[in-house]
Amino acid sequence: MPRTPPDATIRTQLALPLRFADGYSTAARVFTFDGLVDGREHLAFGLGDRAGEFTPGDRGSRLPLVRLHSECVTGDVFGSQRCDCGPQMREAVERIAAAGGFLLYLRQEGRGIGLYAKLDAYGLQDAGLDTYEANLALGHAEDERDYTVAAQMAHALGSSRLALLSNNPDKAEQLGGLGVVVSEQVPTGLHLNPANARYLAAKARRGAHTLDVPLVG
Ligand SMILES: [Zn+2]
């Protein structure tokens, strides 16, 4: 039985035009919330036909395309090549703007272990562990992300039924247990470079991500 999380409410919403380093730009509406269970400052970005003012209770005319993006300061902001987060986010914004929907920006750095611990894990990866083994060696779970706040935001945005832009089966499964109906799962592209090949291969192998990654090592 799904356990519906406590209600969150929209705290503020306002227009936030976006322009990325490659010149791509789009209209967006950024939302903040009251009542998110972990008390962190998570954001939602309405894109495409969801970039206009949102009236609580409005479910929209089309199924929203939604991406749960976990914060990655190194990848999202600084263009780190050790992961695929920056290109994933950039791709997601454009695809969601075309389809209409929301990007949920979740403040759970390093699969939930935090920024310093993520960098510690990089050090262990340089010594030969993969991304999951490194988290375990630091005393963390392989993946500590909890998507309860994402479900709360989806419900608050009238998107309790959605199409999920993701290769990660854990996201759809967790959302389904939180009263969100994932009607469709839409795969993202593969953003491969020499520095992230091992990381992506580990995600495909150990995280059961649906990624068609060439075998490495
Ligand atoms: Zn990253």
Short mmCIF file of all heavy atoms in Angstrom, two decimals, residues 4 17 19 84 90 132 154 191-192 196:
data_model
loop_
_atom_site.label_atom_id
_atom_site.label_comp_id
_atom_site.label_asym_id
_atom_site.label_seq_id
_atom_site.Cartn_x
_atom_site.Cartn_y
_atom_site.Cartn_z
N THR A 4 1.01 7.78 1.62
CA THR A 4 1.08 9.15 1.12
C THR A 4 1.81 10.00 2.15
O THR A 4 1.46 9.96 3.33
CB THR A 4 -0.33 9.70 0.85
OG1 THR A 4 -0.99 8.78 -0.02
CG2 THR A 4 -0.27 11.05 0.18
N PRO A 17 13.93 33.16 -15.53
CA PRO A 17 14.42 32.80 -16.87
C PRO A 17 15.79 32.15 -16.76
O PRO A 17 16.64 32.60 -15.99
CB PRO A 17 14.52 34.16 -17.60
CG PRO A 17 13.86 35.15 -16.70
CD PRO A 17 13.82 34.60 -15.32
N ARG A 19 19.39 30.58 -18.55
CA ARG A 19 20.29 30.57 -19.71
C ARG A 19 21.52 29.78 -19.32
O ARG A 19 22.17 30.06 -18.32
CB ARG A 19 20.69 32.00 -20.10
CG ARG A 19 21.59 32.05 -21.31
CD ARG A 19 21.93 33.51 -21.65
NE ARG A 19 23.15 33.58 -22.43
CZ ARG A 19 23.20 33.46 -23.75
NH1 ARG A 19 22.10 33.28 -24.43
NH2 ARG A 19 24.35 33.54 -24.37
N ASP A 84 28.04 12.53 -14.62
CA ASP A 84 27.27 13.00 -15.78
C ASP A 84 26.15 13.95 -15.36
O ASP A 84 25.23 14.19 -16.12
CB ASP A 84 26.69 11.80 -16.55
CG ASP A 84 25.79 10.91 -15.68
OD1 ASP A 84 25.84 11.04 -14.44
OD2 ASP A 84 25.05 10.09 -16.26
N ARG A 90 21.16 19.52 -17.87
CA ARG A 90 20.96 20.36 -19.07
C ARG A 90 20.00 19.69 -20.05
O ARG A 90 19.09 20.32 -20.59
CB ARG A 90 22.33 20.61 -19.69
CG ARG A 90 22.35 21.19 -21.07
CD ARG A 90 21.86 22.62 -21.13
NE ARG A 90 21.85 23.05 -22.53
CZ ARG A 90 20.90 22.72 -23.40
NH1 ARG A 90 19.85 22.01 -23.02
NH2 ARG A 90 20.97 23.12 -24.65
N TYR A 132 30.03 2.77 -5.63
CA TYR A 132 29.21 2.16 -4.57
C TYR A 132 30.09 1.60 -3.46
O TYR A 132 29.82 1.79 -2.27
CB TYR A 132 28.31 1.07 -5.15
CG TYR A 132 27.28 1.63 -6.11
CD1 TYR A 132 27.52 1.64 -7.48
CD2 TYR A 132 26.10 2.19 -5.64
CE1 TYR A 132 26.60 2.19 -8.37
CE2 TYR A 132 25.17 2.73 -6.52
CZ TYR A 132 25.43 2.73 -7.87
OH TYR A 132 24.52 3.28 -8.75
N ALA A 154 5.67 16.79 -5.84
CA ALA A 154 4.81 16.37 -6.96
C ALA A 154 3.34 16.52 -6.58
O ALA A 154 2.55 17.06 -7.35
CB ALA A 154 5.13 14.93 -7.36
N HIS A 191 25.71 10.30 -21.28
CA HIS A 191 26.69 11.39 -21.37
C HIS A 191 28.04 10.85 -20.91
O HIS A 191 28.41 10.95 -19.76
CB HIS A 191 26.23 12.57 -20.52
CG HIS A 191 24.89 13.08 -20.92
ND1 HIS A 191 24.71 13.89 -22.02
CD2 HIS A 191 23.66 12.87 -20.42
CE1 HIS A 191 23.43 14.17 -22.15
NE2 HIS A 191 22.77 13.56 -21.19
N LEU A 192 28.75 10.25 -21.86
CA LEU A 192 29.97 9.51 -21.56
C LEU A 192 31.20 10.36 -21.87
O LEU A 192 31.24 11.05 -22.89
CB LEU A 192 29.96 8.25 -22.44
CG LEU A 192 31.00 7.18 -22.22
CD1 LEU A 192 30.83 6.54 -20.85
CD2 LEU A 192 30.87 6.11 -23.30
N ASN A 196 34.32 9.77 -16.76
CA ASN A 196 33.16 9.23 -16.03
C ASN A 196 32.77 7.83 -16.48
O ASN A 196 31.76 7.29 -16.02
CB ASN A 196 31.96 10.19 -16.11
CG ASN A 196 31.30 10.25 -17.48
OD1 ASN A 196 31.54 9.42 -18.35
ND2 ASN A 196 30.44 11.23 -17.68
#
